[in-house]
């Protein structure tokens, strides 16, 4: 599921914000070592986080917690609720869709993920098809 982690940990929400998207979403005051100021035509690849090790430990923990949420792992959902961080009235799908907002309001991360999903095994693709819907 490194494709999903790449989206969760993407470099920035806007070119002028020094935080990663995940830090911005969770109000974590951590600068991103993956900062970039790329033009919109650069596409998705350069904005994605391909190596979770480049993030701080706090950001990595948040990334894996969100991965658990998006994969609907029951204990992750319970722990997330206990943390007090809102999940849009328990609508995890809405939170997942918010992850597809892009760094410069142009590339489509969902389209990138759909393309990558072509390489997933058929059972995995069938089981997690809800992650590929708008």
């Amino acid at each position: 599921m490194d494709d999903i982690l790449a989206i969760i940990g993407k470099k920035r929400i806007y070119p002028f914000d020094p935080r990663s998207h995940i830090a911005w979403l969770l109000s974590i005051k951590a600068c991103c070592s993956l900062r970039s100021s790329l033009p919109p035509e650069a596409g998705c690849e350069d904005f994605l986080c391909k190596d979770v090790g480049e993030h701080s430990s706090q950001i990595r923990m948040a990334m894996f917690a969100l991965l658990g949420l998006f994969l609907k792992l029951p204990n992750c959902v319970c722990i997330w609720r206990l943390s007090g961080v809102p999940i849009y009235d328990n609508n995890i799908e809405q939170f997942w869709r918010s992850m597809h907002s892009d760094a410069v309001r142009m590339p489509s991360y969902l389209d990138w993920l759909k393309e990558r999903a072509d390489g997933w095994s058929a059972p995995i693709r069938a089981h997690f098809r809800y992650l590929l819907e708008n």
Side-chain angles (χ1 to χ4, degrees), residues 5-57:
L5 275 174
I7 291 175
I8 291 172
K10 65 188 175 181
K11 297 174 185 182
R12 300 171 77 168
I13 183 161
Y14 295 114
F16 53 81
D17 193 330
R19 295 173 297 171
S20 63
H21 185 75
I22 184 73
W24 175 82
L25 274 176
L26 301 179
S27 297
I28 296 171
K29 294 180 179 166
C31 284
C32 178
S33 62
L34 304 172
R35 278 185 276 193
S36 71
S37 52
L38 299 167
E41 54 274 10
C44 295
E45 286 284 334
D46 292 331
F47 284 102
L48 293 169
C49 171
K50 300 296 180 68
D51 179 7
V52 296
E54 294 190 56
H55 284 291
S56 68
S57 59

Side-chain angles (χ1 to χ4, degrees), residues 15-120:
F16 53 81
D17 193 330
R19 295 173 297 171
S20 63
H21 185 75
I22 184 73
W24 175 82
L25 274 176
L26 301 179
S27 297
I28 296 171
K29 294 180 179 166
C31 284
C32 178
S33 62
L34 304 172
R35 278 185 276 193
S36 71
S37 52
L38 299 167
E41 54 274 10
C44 295
E45 286 284 334
D46 292 331
F47 284 102
L48 293 169
C49 171
K50 300 296 180 68
D51 179 7
V52 296
E54 294 190 56
H55 284 291
S56 68
S57 59
Q58 185 182 23
I59 298 292
R60 287 195 310 268
M61 287 191 320
M63 287 171 66
F64 282 98
L66 280 176
L67 178 64
L69 276 178
F70 297 145
L71 299 182
K72 298 187 178 181
L73 301 178
N75 286 341
C76 281
V77 175
C78 293
I79 291 169
W80 187 268
R81 287 187 183 126
L82 289 174
S83 74
V85 177
I87 55 172
Y88 298 99
D89 298 325
N90 302 324
N91 189 346
I92 295 167
E93 288 79 8
Q94 184 178 352
F95 196 57
W96 168 242
R97 285 193 296 271
S98 77
M99 295 298 304
H100 295 303
S101 66
D102 49 65
V104 288
R105 299 280 175 221
M106 192 147 171
S108 170
Y109 294 98
L110 185 58
D111 289 345
W112 177 86
L113 186 63
K114 286 177 182 177
E115 185 178 314
R116 293 282 297 172
D118 289 341
W120 299 354

